[in-house]
Structure formats: structure tokens, C-alpha cells
């Protein structure tokens, strides 16, 4: 275990903040996927589970310590606890801590946990350093998930794509009293978020005027998410003809969200690419995505809607629960569904059917055990 060297600000210390992670019993992770400790299935079945809250607030509080805490946070990249190492790597990326680049490279190359290596790759891309190490791991890492994050980071650094400057303040402003405040049968909570082209969208502009569907997805590496995008493309005319406003939302920074919708020149090497036909995803998306894809960078809107950012690991990255919120033409929330694993929520066709009929009920299929 590393020696503790604490930074104090407003009574908080690096040591005290990280102790929350060390003392918490997270669900186990196997081969880059979270496994429910009680059921043995992939995912987390208990919607009241607080893994996500402990992780989210730890990240927030470390970010609030600011740059003065960077040396102490970087020291914990060698902690015995992989959850501590992952959290510290993530915070250093959000803070764009250039002084921690060498320590992040060490985790990318030497850490035995693919989740930590994956986060180190993401953070090096945000910091803008470590090209040689990222290229080497892109070629040689045994995990395809780590390879993918290295590919995204290499492109990001080569193109000089920096995180949006407001990302740090968004994480620092997370307010736990606003978490999970959405209630079915009540007026939807307003928010304002940018899309991948920089246009700001306000939910209040649509409340009381048309039906709205909010669909939180995972990331560009998710074949389920891409299948949902294809369904949205296929059903464009039905949604438009029935005056239904669709928003997809992603709890990543702008760059990652732009990769998802094919807005960057990058052509990632997806292991599922052959499922989507000739020409690749980017060409299809840039020509046919008709709805706004919103950047919920710090997951603040998701947290208020009960989406639970960083609920569990999928493909070696901590990510939100898949969630769908349906709002009627009076602005009232009629469905707020959070999935217990990554394929668990209404399909786009089922979503359309609920909004057309006004019968907002969904019974998920039973999840086949991963055991």
C-alpha cells in the first residue's frame, strides 16, 4: 500500500475521500464486466445499490481538491485496490494533469487489471500525452477493450482534441441532493445540454408541446447502442409524423460523444462492425442521424433522472445504467425505466408503441444467467 500524503481543502483530504472506495464492497468484475454478487448475472440487479453513488461522489470530491492534490492522487495509482487506481486515473484525466502522464503510462503498460489500463488510456488521451505507450498497447495489449481505448486516445492526441474546459466545473458541481429526483406522474425536470454540434437543447422548449423520449446509451463500443441507433434511423418518419421528440444522451465528454455519432474522421476497429453492412457506421450516421445526441458529460442530468452514472463496468469501462424516460405531451413523466444489465430496456420499436398507444408499461425479458 502506498504511503499517505494528504492535501486538505475545506476539511477534505485525499486519504479520507479515497477511504470511501477502500471501505466499500463493490460488485465483482470479471473479464471486463460487472457481475451481480447475489445473482451471478452480468449487471447489478438492485436499483437501490449505491456502488455508483460512492464512485461518483469520490470522483467529484477529488476534483474539488483541484491541482494541488494531483501529486497525492497520482501516488495512489500504485494502490493495492484496483478501484482506487481506476478512480485516481479518471480524476487525473478530467483534471488534465500533465504532471501525472508518466504515472498513467505506467498503469497502462504494467497494471494487471484491464479496467485500470482502459481508464489510463482514456486519461492519457485527455491529458494529451503518452503516444508511444498508447501505440504500443494498441498493438500488444491482450484486451480488445484496452486496445479500443488506446485507438481513441491516439487519434485524439494526434488531432489535438482537448476536453471541453467546463467539464471540470461540471463534475465539481455535482449535487447529491438532486440525484434520483425524477418521479413518474410528475412534471419532468428541465435541463439544458449541448449536442455533438454545440447546439444547446432545453427540455422545457418541448414540455407541454410534444411527447419526448430520453434514451441514455453507453458508448461507441456498444453494439446494442448501435442497433438502437439503426432502429431510430429506420423509424424516423413514424416518430416525426407523430410529433415525438427523441433525445439520446451519453455520459462522456464531447469527443467520445462525437465518435459515437460518426462526427470524427476516426474509423474505430469494432469487433462487431460486420453487423452493420458496407461503408461503416460513420458514413451511415453522418448522413442519417436526425435526432440530437446530447452530451451529459458529468452525468448530472442522468443522476437526477435516476440513470446512475458509473453503475457498473461494461467492456472495461465504468458506465451508466441503460435507461429510458418517456414524457407525454403534457410534460408528465410516464415511464422511467432503468436497466439491470446492458441489454435490459425497451427496444426503440417498443418505445414508439408505448408513446403511440399511451400504455406506458414495459416488462423486461428474463435475463439469462451468466453462470
Amino acid at each position: 500500500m502506498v504511503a499517505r500524503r494528504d492535501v486538505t481543502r475545506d476539511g477534505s483530504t485525499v486519504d479520507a475521500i479515497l477511504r470511501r472506495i477502500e471501505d466499500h464492497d463493490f460488485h465483482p468484475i470479471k473479464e471486463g464486466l460487472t457481475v451481480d454478487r447475489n445473482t451471478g448475472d452480468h449487471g447489478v440487479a438492485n436499483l437501490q445499490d449505491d456502488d455508483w453513488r460512492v464512485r461518483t461522489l469520490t470522483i467529484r470530491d477529488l476534483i474539488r481538491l483541484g491541482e494541488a492534490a494531483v501529486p497525492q492522487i497520482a501516488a495512489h495509482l500504485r494502490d493495492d485496490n484496483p478501484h482506487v487506481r481506476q478512480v485516481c486515473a479518471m480524476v487525473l484525466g478530467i483534471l488534465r494533469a500533465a504532471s501525472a502522464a508518466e504515472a498513467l503510462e505506467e498503469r497502462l503498460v504494467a497494471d494487471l487489471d484491464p479496467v485500470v489500463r482502459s481508464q489510463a488510456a482514456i486519461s492519457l488521451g485527455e491529458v494529451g500525452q503518452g503516444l508511444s505507450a498508447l501505440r504500443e498497447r494498441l498493438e500488444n495489449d491482450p484486451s480488445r477493450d484496452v486496445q479500443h481505448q488506446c485507438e481513441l486516445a491516439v487519434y485524439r492526441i494526434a488531432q489535438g482534441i482537448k476536453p471541453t474546459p467546463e467539464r471540470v466545473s461540471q463534475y465539481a458541481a455535482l449535487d447529491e441532493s438532486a440525484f434520483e429526483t425524477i418521479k413518474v406522474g410528475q412534471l419532468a425536470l428541465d435541463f439544458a445540454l449541448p449536442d455533438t454540434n454545440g447546439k444547446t437543447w432545453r427540455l422545457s422548449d418541448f414540455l407541454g408541446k410534444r411527447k419526448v423520449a430520453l434514451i441514455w446509451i453507453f458508448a461507441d463500443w456498444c453494439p446494442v447502442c448501435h442497433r438502437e441507433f439503426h432502429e431510430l434511423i429506420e423509424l424516423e418518419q413514424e416518430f416525426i409524423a407523430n410529433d415525438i421528440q427523441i433525445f439520446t444522451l451519453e455520459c462522456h465528454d464531447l469527443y467520445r460523444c462525437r465518435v459515437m455519432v460518426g462526427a470524427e474522421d476516426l474509423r474505430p476497429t469494432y469487433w462487431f462492425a460486420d453487423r452493420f453492412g458496407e461503408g461503416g457506421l460513420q458514413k451511415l450516421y453522418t448522413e442519417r442521424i436526425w435526432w440530437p445526441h446530447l452530451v451529459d458529460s458529468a452525468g448530472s442530468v442522468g443522476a437526477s433522472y435516476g440513470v446512475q452514472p458509473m453503475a457498473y463496468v461494461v467492456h472495461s469501462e465504468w458506465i451508466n445504467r441503460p435507461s429510458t424516460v418517456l414524457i407525454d405531451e403534457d410534460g408528465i413523466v410516464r415511464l422511467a425505466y432503468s436497466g439491470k444489465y446492458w441489454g435490459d430496456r425497451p427496444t426503440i420499436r417498443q418505445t414508439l408503441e408505448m408513446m403511440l398507444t399511451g400504455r406506458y408499461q414495459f416488462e423486461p425479458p428474463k435475463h439469462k444467467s451468466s453462470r
Side-chain angles (χ1 to χ4, degrees):
M1 187 71 67
V2 297
R4 301 296 192 188
R5 292 179 296 161
D6 299 330
V7 168
T8 301
R9 179 176 174 182
D10 300 330
S12 299
T13 67
V14 172
D15 180 49
I17 293 169
L18 288 176
R19 192 173 295 122
R20 302 176 202 162
I21 296 290
E22 294 175 337
D23 293 344
H24 187 76
D25 183 20
F26 291 96
H27 289 272
I29 300 169
K30 298 179 181 179
E31 299 180 350
L33 300 170
T34 297
V35 176
D36 190 292
R37 71 169 68 87
N38 298 313
T39 68
D41 292 336
H42 287 154
V44 177
N46 181 7
L47 296 178
Q48 280 68 55
D49 185 87
D50 63 354
D51 281 12
W52 74 277
R53 186 183 296 267
V54 171
R55 184 173 299 277
T56 300
L57 295 180
T58 298
I59 290 167
R60 179 201 67 181
D61 291 347
L62 288 174
I63 288 172
R64 285 180 174 180
L65 293 179
E67 294 183 6
V70 164
Q72 288 71 36
I73 296 171
H76 287 286
L77 289 175
R78 292 187 175 184
D79 199 287
D80 290 344
N81 188 322
H83 294 279
V84 170
R85 301 198 301 274
Q86 185 275 334
V87 161
C88 288
M90 183 173 179
V91 170
L92 292 168
I94 295 169
L95 291 174
R96 298 194 64 210
S99 62
E102 185 176 345
L104 287 168
E105 286 186 45
E106 180 185 291
R107 288 303 92 207
L108 173 63
V109 172
D111 206 290
L112 298 179
D113 192 317
V115 179
V116 178
R117 297 201 306 277
S118 180
Q119 183 59 61
I122 295 169
S123 294
L124 283 168
E126 293 169 337
V127 169
Q129 297 189 33
L131 262 180
S132 295
L134 287 163
R135 286 170 173 157
E136 189 277 328
R137 287 292 90 193
L138 175 58
E139 295 297 324
N140 299 312
D141 199 278
S143 167
R144 72 181 183 190
D145 302 326
V146 177
Q147 290 175 12
H148 179 66
Q149 299 300 349
C150 288
E151 183 178 14
L152 298 187
V154 166
Y155 180 86
R156 178 175 207 157
I157 295 171
Q159 299 298 316
I161 302 171
K162 299 178 181 179
T164 54
E166 61 270 19
R167 191 166 178 235
V168 172
S169 60
Q170 288 170 348
Y171 270 99
L174 285 172
D175 177 8
E176 62 265 44
S177 69
F179 291 175
E180 301 181 287
T181 50
I182 184 70
K183 301 295 182 185
V184 172
Q186 295 183 4
L187 191 67
L189 298 173
D190 192 20
F191 63 78
L193 288 174
D195 65 18
T196 50
N197 294 315
K199 178 181 176 179
T200 296
W201 296 78
R202 290 175 174 80
L203 184 61
S204 56
D205 290 341
F206 303 91
L207 296 180
K209 300 175 183 177
R210 64 177 69 171
K211 296 179 180 179
V212 178
L214 306 176
I215 303 170
W216 272 267
I217 68 154
F218 287 148
D220 72 291
W221 42 246
C222 174
V224 175
C225 300
H226 287 296
R227 177 54 58 198
E228 290 173 333
F229 271 35
H230 275 246
E231 281 193 276
L232 283 168
I233 289 171
E234 292 168 0
L235 296 172
E236 174 183 2
Q237 293 308 315
E238 286 88 336
F239 280 110
I240 291 176
N242 289 283
D243 205 24
I244 299 172
Q245 177 64 49
I246 295 290
F247 292 106
T248 54
L249 303 92
E250 186 176 347
C251 298
H252 277 125
D253 73 339
L254 176 61
Y255 167 62
R256 294 288 300 277
C257 294
R258 285 177 60 82
V259 171
M260 177 67 209
V261 299
E264 298 292 344
D265 292 333
L266 174 64
R267 300 291 187 269
T269 306
Y270 296 119
W271 59 91
F272 52 84
D274 58 351
R275 304 181 193 178
F276 296 99
E278 195 76 23
L281 296 171
Q282 277 81 359
K283 184 176 187 297
L284 172 66
Y285 286 177
T286 53
E287 293 177 355
R288 296 198 58 188
I289 284 183
W290 55 272
W291 67 93
H293 185 56
L294 303 186
V295 183
D296 188 13
S297 181
S300 58
V301 174
S304 68
Y305 272 81
V307 172
Q308 298 189 358
M310 290 178 280
Y312 42 55
V313 169
V314 185
H315 291 307
S316 299
E317 183 182 7
W318 284 93
I319 200 66
N320 56 277
R321 287 184 184 273
S323 302
T324 298
V325 175
L326 304 183
I327 303 166
D328 69 14
E329 55 268 76
D330 296 319
I332 304 300
V333 175
R334 293 304 181 190
L335 180 81
Y337 186 85
S338 291
K340 298 177 180 179
Y341 65 101
W342 22 97
D344 173 19
R345 69 149 149 218
T347 66
I348 301 303
R349 290 184 183 277
Q350 289 171 324
T351 297
L352 175 61
E353 182 68 17
M354 282 188 281
M355 302 189 85
L356 291 179
T357 63
R359 293 192 293 270
Y360 295 98
Q361 297 177 343
F362 173 68
E363 186 66 32
K366 290 186 176 180
H367 181 29
K368 183 179 178 181
S369 174
S370 63
R371 289 175 292 182

